[in-house]
Amino acid sequence: MLVHRWKKPLVLGDNRIRIVVGSPEEAINWLIHEPNQSAPKWIRAWEACRAVTDGRIGAEDARSAVQLAAT
């Protein structure tokens, strides 16, 4: 599998845990474990990461969607 690395990884989490996500493929793995999968920002991040893995958009385009989903 081709991995599409971001220039700057995202650091997600709260006071208890820190998660570093460096690619849309890693973000998909993180998104699978998020509890609120029906939220519009989760769906947007999922679709953006899938679009990267399908070759429809660039990797950096999905980064902002994942960052928004983490908030």
Side-chain angles (χ1 to χ4, degrees), residues 18 29 45 49 51 63-64 66 69:
R18 183 177 121 158
N29 190 33
C49 290
R63 188 178 184 279
S64 61
V66 173

Side-chain angles (χ1 to χ4, degrees), residues 1-69:
M1 176 198 303
L2 179 64
V3 176
H4 305 86
R5 292 279 171 206
W6 289 324
K7 292 177 184 173
K8 183 177 179 184
L10 290 173
V11 179
L12 312 173
D14 55 20
N15 294 338
R16 299 174 297 149
I17 189 168
R18 183 177 121 158
I19 301 167
V20 178
V21 180
S23 71
E25 292 84 0
E26 291 176 4
I28 288 173
N29 190 33
W30 172 74
L31 287 164
I32 288 171
H33 294 91
E34 279 297 293
N36 194 6
Q37 295 181 0
S38 60
K41 61 185 182 180
W42 183 94
I43 294 168
R44 181 173 177 230
W46 179 266
E47 289 174 351
C49 290
R50 292 297 304 161
V52 172
T53 61
D54 293 343
R56 292 181 278 139
I57 64 172
E60 292 297 325
D61 297 329
R63 188 178 184 279
S64 61
V66 173
Q67 189 171 21
L68 180 64

